[in-house]
Each structure stands twice: as structure tokens, then as C-alpha cells.
């Protein structure tokens, strides 16, 4: 490490963390960045959120690899802030600390039956099929004929699409083998995606809506009556961005299609909210109420229906969690900040800064804005100079076995090598033991 450089700790190695590191290392100040990550693997939701059948999107990691190659960059994986090192310690060891820890849990619906076995947060399912090591013990019973997905965002569409992929479509992805087997063997015939508002108000985007029509193994069904929008939604559509109009064009196509008799069906249901998840021992159905739109809001009517369901995925948004020693806005699930500055020396970026919305690229602008403020503070002499030992010394004293970038490269190489003969981008190591063993194997060899 260069003693005269400014030392910045970035916590969380998802897109926001990597974009922040890139902006810091690309600035005209002399800066070194330590990127601290609780998992042995970097990239956050790019590895563990983005759907495995979207390899081109996951390829954004190549830009992150370029950042990691900068001589001023170091990666400390398997180090959790709050468990292995405290915020107070980091603020002593570094000139500035920037949190980019994302949104680690889900928003609740707050309805009866939400906790029944068989009622899952989409966050759990997504983490499981993507090989997140904290979620591999979960057992999703996909034997029922209907899965219900609550929510009209892109994550809901990811979940619906993953449930509908054929074994051949899954075989070329880096979905975990356990998930491929479970989805291939599922008894699911219908995936019902339930939106509380109408098609114009849905949060999904056209590429994702369009993909539903290209699935080998699933028909997509939309009731033409749901596309009789009513005056208010027609007016909203006329003023909406082109993406919303393209969504509606896709839906109009689907409404006109005759099902081709594919093994599974994705059915889109609008203006409906779950009021209870039903079942004695486990999920057996969902009670839905029909909504009407009042000033753009979903307002319940008296009309109710019950649908049978073997499993429910609640996909109504992610949620940030508080870190000990840091301020936290409970309602928003974010660290309170202005443009990413919490106070001079303490910053945040990404989902923990602005809440759980926006695509990967959104975090670039967001992280750059934060870094600009950090640089302003550095230039104005507002950062309290670091004191004390280094992070390595502190971790060594505590017996924390950090996975350095070379350890991640070993994991990466081992996964890619396992995928190559099968035409898969990688076969993920998905348990802590496997990941740490692969990281250690090469660290020792070097
Ligand atoms: P994250 O990516 O969540 O990264 C946070 C990191 O912080 C994680 O690695 C986490 O392990 C680490 N961390 C958390 N707590 C600690 C701690 N205490 N100590 C150390 N490390 C910690 N966008 C697209 O453009 N295209 C897509 O196809 C797409 N698909 C998506 C699919 C899903 C299921 C989801 C949820 C999002 C998707 N997005 C997609 C959005 C995109 O993934 C997010 O915008 C982006 O990942 C947010 O970046 P982040 O860095 O704030 O958080
Ligand atoms: P989101 O886009 O915010 O969507 C959440 C959905 O849940 C909305 O339809 C919302 O409806 C609904 N909802 C919220 N509370 C509800 C309730 N109590 N009852 C019923 N429905 C409720 O969140 P997300 O799907 O988790 O996605 C997060 C971000 O990641 C988004 O920006 C998304 O675009 C991005 N992402 C992108 C991709 C991609 O580019 N392929 C893939 C996945 C995720 P209301 O609108 O009525 O509130």
C-alpha cells in the first residue's frame, strides 16, 4: 500500500461498489481502494440476482474485472462488516468509507398466511437458483400444478420465466444443478403472475415482457378484457414513455394469440391483490381481491376469488437492512444521505443509497455522484485522516480468512472449467465449503 495515497474502503462488491471503485481509481487524486465483500465472490446481484438465462447481462462483470486489475485495487472477500470488522474500525483504518451493500432482504406483503410453508420471497428463490451459498439448503416444492407470483416488476417476470424454462433452455445456463433438476421435474402447469394495478402501471420493461412470447415450453395468456384500459389508463398510456407503449403492444399480441398447447402457461392477471395466502399446514391457495384504479392507486372492490396454488412467490420488492453503527431510514430501507454523502468521510451508493430500483447501469451514475462528493470533501480537507493498523493486520489478529482477488480468480477458473465441456458459462460452486476450498487451493499454489 502507498502511505501517501488516500485509502478508501468500499463495502459491498455489486455494481455500485465496482462503479464507485472505478470512479475513485480513475480520479486525479492518488487513491487506493479496498473492496470488502461478505461473500467469497464479487459482483453482488450480477452473479446472484440477474437471471441465469441472461448471460449477456452478466457479462458486465468484464468491466468490473478491468477495475480489479488496477494496481490500487484490493478485494477482501469473506469479510462481513458488522461480523468480522465494525464500521467504527473501518472509519479509523480508512480516510473514507463508502457503503454499497445493496438490499439484502424482501418487502413483506403483511397479509395472513404469508409465513406458511410454500410461501416464499422471490429474493429466496432467485438466490437459490443462482447459487448463493446462504440459500442452498432451501427446498422448493414445485409439485403443485399452479405457482402464483405476486408483483408486476422484472423480478416477478424472472421468477415466472425461470419456472417455465425447459430442461434444454436451462442446460446451457449457470443455474445450479439442483434448481435445474427441480424446475425440470416440477408439476407446475400454470404460473399466474398477479399485478395489483393494470398493464399500463406495471413496472416491467419491454425486453422482459417480449421474452415471455419466445419461451419453448410455455404459452403466455392475457385476457383481452384487461387491455380495455379505461379512460384514465388510456390517458396515462398516451403520455407514457415509449417503453410502456411497447409493453402494451406485447400484451396485445399475447391477448390475440391462441395457446399452442405448450406444457406450461404463464397467465398475467391484473388489478388483483392477494388478501390472504391460504392453507392449513402449507400453501394451498391464494385469496385475491379485484381492484379498481383510483387516481392511479389500486383500491379494493368487493369482488373476491380464490385460486388453488402449490407455491407462492412474493415479488414485491427488495429491502435494505440496517448495519450496526450506521444511521438507517426504516421506512425507505436506506442509509439517509444527500447525493450519497452521509457526512464527510462516510458515503453510500447503489440500492442502500436510493432504494431497490434501477438496472445495473443506473448504479454507475449513482456511484459516480457519490464519489464526486467524496473527492470534493477530500480536496476541501474534510476527511479525518486514518490511524491505526491495516485491515489485513486486524483480520489476521481475528483469524478471519479473507478471500483475496487471487482466491476469487481461482473460484472463477474452477467454475468456468467445470462449465466448459457442457457449453455452460460456468458451473457454480454454491456452498461456503466449496467456495472457500477453491479459493484456498490456488492461494496455496501461488
Ligand atoms: P448488490 O448488487 O446487491 O451488491 C451488494 C453487495 O454487498 C453484495 O455482494 C453483498 O453480498 C454485499 N454485502 C451486503 N452486506 C454486506 C456487509 N455487511 N459486508 C460486506 N458486504 C456486504 N439489472 C439489470 O440491468 N439487468 C438485469 O437483468 C437485472 N436483473 C436483476 C435480477 C434481480 C433478481 C434483481 C434483484 C435485480 C436485477 N437487476 C438487473 C438490478 C441490479 O442487479 C441492481 O441494480 C444492482 O445489483 C444493485 O447494485 P448494488 O451494488 O447496490 O447491490
Ligand atoms: P419493482 O420494479 O419495484 O416492482 C415491484 C412490483 O411489486 C410492482 O409491480 C409493485 O406494484 C408490486 N408491489 C409492491 N407492493 C405490493 C403489494 N403490497 N401488493 C402487490 N404488489 C405490490 O421491483 P423488482 O421487480 O424487485 O425489481 C427491482 C429492480 O431491479 C427494478 O428496477 C427492476 O427493473 C430491476 N430488474 C431489472 C431486470 C432486467 O433489466 N431484466 C430484472 C430484474 C430486476 P406497484 O407498481 O403497484 O407498486
Amino acid at each position: 500500500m502507498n502511505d501517501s495515497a488516500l485509502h478508501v474502503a468500499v463495502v459491498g462488491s455489486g455494481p455500485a461498489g465496482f462503479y464507485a471503485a472505478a470512479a475513485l481509481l480513475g480520479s486525479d487524486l492518488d487513491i487506493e481502494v479496498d473492496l470488502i465483500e461478505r461473500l467469497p465472490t464479487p459482483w453482488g446481484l450480477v452473479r446472484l440476482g440477474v437471471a441465469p438465462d441472461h448471460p449477456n447481462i452478466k457479462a458486465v462483470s468484464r468491466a468490473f474485472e478491468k477495475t480489479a486489475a488496477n494496481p490500487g485495487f484490493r478485494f477482501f472477500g469473506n469479510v462481513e462488516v458488522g461480523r468480522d470488522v465494525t464500521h467504527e474500525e473501518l472509519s479509523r483504518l480508512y480516510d473514507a468509507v463508502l457503503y454499497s451493500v445493496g438490499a439484502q432482504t424482501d418487502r413483506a406483503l403483511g397479509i395472513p398466511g404469508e409465513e406458511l410453508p410454500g410461501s416464499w420471497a422471490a429474493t429466496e428463490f432467485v438466490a437459490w437458483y443462482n447459487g448463493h451459498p446462504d440459500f442452498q439448503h432451501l427446498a422448493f416444492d414445485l409439485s403443485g400444478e399452479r405457482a402464483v407470483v405476486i408483483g408486476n416488476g422484472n423480478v416477478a417476470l424472472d421468477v415466472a420465466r425461470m419456472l417455465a424454462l425447459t430442461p434444454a433452455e436451462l442446460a446451457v445456463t449457470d443455474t445450479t444443478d439442483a434448481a435445474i433438476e427441480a424446475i425440470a421435474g416440477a408439476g407446475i402447469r400454470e404460473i399466474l403472475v398477479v399485478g395489483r394495478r393494470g398493464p399500463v402501471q406495471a413496472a416491467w420493461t419491454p425486453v422482459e415482457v417480449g421474452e415471455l412470447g419466445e419461451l419453448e415450453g410455455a404459452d403466455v395468456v392475457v385476457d383481452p378484457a384487461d387491455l380495455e384500459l379505461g379512460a384514465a389508463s388510456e390517458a396515462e398510456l398516451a403520455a407514457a414513455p415509449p417503453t410502456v407503449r411497447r409493453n402494451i403492444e406485447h400484451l396485445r399480441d399475447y391477448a390475440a394469440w391462441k395457446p399452442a398447447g405448450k406444457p406450461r402457461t404463464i397467465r398475467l392477471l391484473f388489478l388483483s391483490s392477494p388478501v390472504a395466502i391460504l392453507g392449513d399446514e402449507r400453501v394451498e391457495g391464494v385469496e385475491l381481491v379485484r381492484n379498481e384504479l383510483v387516481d392511479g392507486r389500486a383500491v379494493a372492490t368487493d369482488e373476491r376469488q380464490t385460486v388453488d396454488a402449490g407455491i407462492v412467490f412474493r415479488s414485491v420488492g427488495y429491502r435494505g437492512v440496517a448495519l450496526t453503527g450506521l444511521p438507517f431510514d426504516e421506512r425507505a430501507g436506506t442509509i439517509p444521505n444527500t447525493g450519497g454523502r452521509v457526512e464527510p468521510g462516510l458515503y453510500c451508493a447503489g440500492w442502500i443509497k436510493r432504494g431497490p430500483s434501477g438496472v445495473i447501469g443506473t448504479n454507475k451514475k449513482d456511484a459516480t455522484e457519490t464519489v464526486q462528493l467524496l473527492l470534493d470533501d477530500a480536496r476541501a480537507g474534510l476527511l479525518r485522516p486514518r490511524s491505526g493498523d491495516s485491515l489485513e493486520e486486524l483480520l489476521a489478529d481475528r483469524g478471519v480468512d479473507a478471500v483475496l482477488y487471487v482466491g476469487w480468480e481461482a473460484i472463477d477458473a474452477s467454475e468456468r472449467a467445470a462449465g466448459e465441456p457442457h457449453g455452460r458459462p460456468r458451473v457454480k460452486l454454491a456452498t461456503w465449503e466449496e467456495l472457500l476450498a477453491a479459493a484456498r487451493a490456488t492461494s496455496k499454489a501461488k
Side-chain angles (χ1 to χ4, degrees):
M1 282 186 104
N2 169 1
D3 269 350
S4 64
L6 202 66
H7 292 184
V8 180
V10 175
V11 183
S13 68
F18 265 99
Y19 286 130
L24 286 162
L25 293 166
S27 83
D28 56 1
L29 296 185
D30 185 11
I31 298 187
E32 296 192 347
V33 173
D34 284 350
L35 186 42
I36 300 169
E37 166 61 53
R38 65 177 292 275
L39 295 172
T41 57
W43 309 345
L45 287 168
V46 170
R47 177 177 164 96
L48 299 168
V50 170
D53 63 332
H54 285 168
N56 294 343
I57 293 172
K58 288 190 185 266
V60 67
S61 56
R62 291 201 199 107
F64 304 155
E65 284 166 355
K66 286 200 181 117
T67 300
N70 189 305
F73 175 95
R74 300 193 305 175
F75 178 74
F76 290 89
N78 193 32
V79 177
E80 181 171 327
V81 175
R83 182 192 64 189
D84 301 314
V85 55
T86 66
H87 167 62
E88 192 275 329
E89 287 162 339
L90 286 182
S91 33
R92 191 162 40 77
L93 292 172
Y94 290 89
D95 299 295
V97 186
L98 187 157
Y99 284 89
S100 46
V101 290
Q104 297 299 309
T105 189
D106 62 294
R107 286 186 53 204
L109 280 170
I111 58 171
E114 194 166 5
E115 302 304 329
L116 273 176
S119 161
W120 296 96
T123 52
E124 296 170 299
F125 187 55
V126 164
W128 174 72
Y129 65 58
N130 264 312
H132 191 305
D134 286 347
F135 293 83
Q136 297 312 303
H137 61 289
L138 301 180
F140 294 88
D141 179 351
L142 303 175
S143 61
E145 286 203 357
R146 182 180 291 118
V148 173
V149 183
I150 313 285
N152 266 181
N154 280 327
V155 172
L157 290 193
D158 277 356
V159 168
R161 197 180 64 253
M162 284 299 292
L163 288 169
L165 291 182
T166 61
E169 286 169 321
L170 287 165
V172 293
T173 71
D174 64 8
T175 312
T176 61
D177 288 341
I180 292 179
E181 203 179 306
I183 293 168
I188 294 172
R189 307 274 306 156
E190 180 175 284
I191 300 142
L192 181 68
V193 181
V194 181
R196 66 175 166 183
R197 298 192 288 159
V200 175
Q201 291 80 27
W204 50 44
T205 41
V207 172
E208 287 64 33
V209 182
E211 271 178 314
L212 296 179
E214 293 161 14
L215 294 168
E216 283 291 319
D219 287 308
V220 50
V221 172
V222 175
D223 183 347
D226 282 336
L227 295 167
E228 290 163 19
L229 299 172
S233 284
E234 286 289 3
E236 191 178 332
L237 180 61
T243 47
V244 179
R245 291 201 286 280
R246 288 211 297 280
N247 286 343
I248 297 296
E249 282 162 23
H250 283 306
L251 297 179
R252 288 199 199 287
D253 286 346
Y254 300 152
W257 284 2
K258 266 207 164 74
K262 294 180 183 177
R264 291 179 186 159
T265 297
I266 296 180
R267 185 181 299 275
L268 305 181
L269 177 69
F270 296 96
L271 286 170
S272 299
S273 288
V275 284
I277 298 177
L278 309 170
D280 290 332
E281 306 280 308
R282 50 163 294 108
V283 168
E284 292 169 26
V286 182
E287 186 178 356
L288 299 169
V289 66
R290 181 84 184 160
N291 296 325
E292 57 189 10
L293 278 179
V294 179
D295 297 332
R297 284 182 312 111
V299 175
T301 67
D302 294 333
E303 202 183 316
R304 294 201 175 199
Q305 65 163 321
T306 296
V307 292
D308 292 340
I311 193 160
V312 172
F313 296 100
R314 310 177 311 266
S315 183
V316 297
Y318 282 55
R319 189 177 156 72
V321 292
L323 279 166
T324 309
L326 288 178
F328 190 67
D329 178 338
E330 276 297 338
R331 202 186 50 80
T334 53
I335 299 174
N337 68 89
T338 307
R341 183 197 279 121
V342 184
E343 61 189 35
L346 174 58
Y347 308 86
C348 56
W351 280 15
I352 197 64
K353 164 181 167 184
R354 65 174 197 278
S357 74
V359 292
I360 294 165
T362 318
N363 301 292
K364 187 170 186 178
K365 188 163 172 277
D366 174 300
T368 306
E369 176 194 47
T370 297
V371 166
Q372 195 52 53
L373 295 178
L374 188 159
L375 298 174
D376 290 349
D377 290 347
R379 290 190 185 103
L382 294 175
L383 304 183
R384 202 178 50 199
R386 64 186 180 276
S387 62
D389 302 335
S390 65
L391 180 65
E392 299 99 289
E393 283 164 310
L394 182 143
L395 295 175
D397 283 351
R398 281 191 190 151
V400 177
D401 192 9
V403 172
L404 306 183
Y405 202 72
V406 64
W408 153 244
E409 286 175 322
I411 295 171
D412 190 35
S414 143
E415 290 186 342
R416 287 184 194 275
E420 212 263 338
H422 308 284
R424 301 171 71 180
R426 62 179 70 238
V427 175
K428 281 181 178 167
L429 301 175
T431 66
W432 283 94
E433 293 72 25
E434 289 170 330
L435 287 161
L436 293 176
R440 280 182 200 127
T442 302
S443 322
K444 280 197 192 109
K446 287 217 165 188

